Amino acid sequence: MTLLDCVYEGRSKSKGFGRYKTIRRQIDKPLVYKRIPRKFYHYGITKESFVDKLSRTERPDLILITSGMTYWYLGVKWCIDILRNLFSSTPPILLGGIYAQLCPDHAHTLGADGVQTVPLSIDYFYPALDLYEAPNYGITMTSIGCPLSCKYCASKKLWSTYKRRPLTDALEEIAFQENIPTVKDIAFYDDALLINKESHFYHLCLELQKKHPHLRYHTPNGLHVREIDETCARYLYETGFKTIRLSLEGNDPAIQKASSGKVHEIQYAKAVRNLLRAGYSLSDIETYILVGLPGQSCESVQKSIKFVKSSGATVKLAEYSPIPGTPMFEECAQRLPILKEEPLYHNNTAYCGYISQDITAEDLQSLKDLANNFNDKTR
Ligand code: SF4
């Protein structure tokens, strides 16, 4: 089996904790973005390098292509087109991943032989880290899905029920990755890592402290803030969780309702206090605030930014992107039916500041400036 990760192969400068910046090259904008005053880039491996690596690979019996965000599909098409040109009779191509699951009809138009919308039935569940040359970080999920139902989130669409994996499986997976000498960091991609923490996360932490004390841990998907009491904050700190991302989304009642009421101001302030007491510094604590949701005013986002800054934490603005299969997508598609036809319109940069009309590009920039000014003062 051969793996070709087009993002990993296009890595450049290190960003710390095993992550890299990805090389990019400006290319012509698709027609959809012609009126949007932003540049358009190809990220990752160059065509020359891709073709070169493929030419040195034994002809495969089957090609599996994965995909991520729906509005990145042009990269998937780019790969399929090159593969079709390179092999005189191309082996069957199966397209899977998040885009394929969320937009199966659209995915069928890209030229693959099949679109896989459910996981393939294989016994092996470890991430294929052994297929990378020298990976710097590993990944894991101790659970799949989320018991909550936020109106903008695709977790329920991708994983219809929330399930925890046996901890022994997750620990074996981490041990397998730690055996790769270059791996020093592990990122947890759970959507709901802290749910029922006493019977799950705390046991996991004790095992990690015992078996893998030298690894650093990260939670890029955001943690459920209300679960972070004093004990939980201590477990996070003592186990070596370095990147703490809190999902606040917004403190406006309408945003909180769309966010399953998952955290209120008092719970957020307490969580930050608990993390500081446990040993984290303010710059370690990043908080996601959503911007550009339907019906959300600029003032509401300003208020959320000021609220987060009043606690001293770092603001991370997340521009809203309509995701097919979510209730909020349907709401957006009623106003803009083209969202159902063309995934490029889902692009958060394009949708949020230019397409949706929910927020203007100027207001969006002023919110980014406000957040950056506040963040600079914390650093
Ligand atoms: S809590 Fe997070 S993962 Fe769960 S539904 Fe809401 S946004 Fe999605």
Side-chain angles (χ1 to χ4, degrees), residues 183-202:
V183 170
K184 306 284 178 238
D185 294 87
I186 297 285
F188 284 82
Y189 275 92
D190 294 61
D191 282 333
L193 183 63
L194 300 183
I195 295 284
N196 298 326
K197 54 189 183 288
E198 291 84 0
S199 61
H200 184 69
F201 183 66
Y202 292 174

Side-chain angles (χ1 to χ4, degrees), residues 6 33 65 71 91 111 119 146 148 205 218 227 229 259 272 318 330 333 341:
C6 295
Y33 298 148
I65 299 185
Y71 48 86
C146 178
L148 305 187
C205 285
H218 309 278
E227 300 295 334
D229 55 21
S259 306
V272 172
E330 293 302 322
E341 313 280 319

Side-chain angles (χ1 to χ4, degrees), residues 35-266:
R35 288 170 189 273
I36 296 179
R38 301 290 296 254
K39 292 174 181 158
F40 191 68
Y41 295 93
H42 169 104
Y43 284 82
I45 196 167
T46 60
K47 183 173 179 184
E48 298 66 36
S49 176
F50 189 44
V51 169
D52 176 56
K53 283 182 189 296
L54 288 169
S55 330
R56 287 187 281 119
T57 307
E58 207 180 311
R59 188 183 187 281
D61 299 319
L62 172 67
I63 299 174
L64 303 174
I65 299 185
T66 191
S67 59
M69 304 300 266
T70 56
Y71 48 86
W72 293 342
Y73 78 82
L74 288 177
V76 175
K77 184 164 170 18
W78 179 86
C79 288
I80 294 175
D81 290 347
I82 292 176
L83 287 161
R84 291 269 181 238
N85 277 331
L86 197 76
F87 296 105
S88 50
S89 72
T90 324
I93 299 177
L94 202 51
L95 169 60
I98 292 174
Y99 152 73
Q101 285 180 73
L102 296 179
C103 302
D105 292 343
H106 192 274
H108 274 288
T109 66
L110 296 201
D113 297 292
V115 173
Q116 188 72 26
T117 54
V118 291
L120 284 173
S121 171
I122 44 173
D123 289 337
Y124 201 70
F125 195 52
Y126 291 168
L129 239 71
D130 50 326
L131 298 181
Y132 285 84
E133 248 171 51
N136 292 107
Y137 69 89
I139 55 168
T140 191
M141 284 168 88
T142 70
S143 59
I144 53 170
C146 178
L148 305 187
S149 302
C150 302
K151 284 171 75 180
Y152 41 76
C153 175
S155 183
K156 275 272 177 318
K157 176 86 182 164
L158 297 171
W159 311 101
S160 57
T161 45
Y162 165 70
K163 277 195 203 130
R164 293 199 314 203
R165 291 173 68 200
L167 272 186
T168 45
D169 285 6
L171 286 162
E172 276 171 23
E173 182 172 276
I174 292 168
F176 161 76
Q177 298 180 83
E178 197 200 15
N179 273 334
I180 300 169
T182 45
V183 170
K184 306 284 178 238
D185 294 87
I186 297 285
F188 284 82
Y189 275 92
D190 294 61
D191 282 333
L193 183 63
L194 300 183
I195 295 284
N196 298 326
K197 54 189 183 288
E198 291 84 0
S199 61
H200 184 69
F201 183 66
Y202 292 174
H203 291 296
L204 171 77
C205 285
L206 291 173
E207 289 298 314
L208 294 177
Q209 288 173 20
K210 204 161 61 192
K211 296 183 173 148
H212 311 290
H214 305 300
L215 287 174
R216 294 173 298 209
Y217 302 102
H218 309 278
T219 59
N221 273 3
L223 294 169
H224 285 179
V225 181
R226 70 172 166 208
E227 300 295 334
I228 306 178
D229 55 21
E230 271 186 55
T231 312
C232 182
R234 231 180 18 249
Y235 269 106
L236 283 162
Y237 188 77
E238 288 171 4
T239 306
F241 280 85
K242 299 293 178 199
T243 319
I244 298 293
R245 296 212 170 136
L246 305 180
S247 305
L248 174 69
E249 327 297 16
N251 59 348
D252 176 310
I255 306 304
Q256 297 220 336
K257 192 165 169 229
S259 306
S260 320
K262 61 180 178 255
V263 57
H264 297 284
E265 288 187 0
I266 298 175

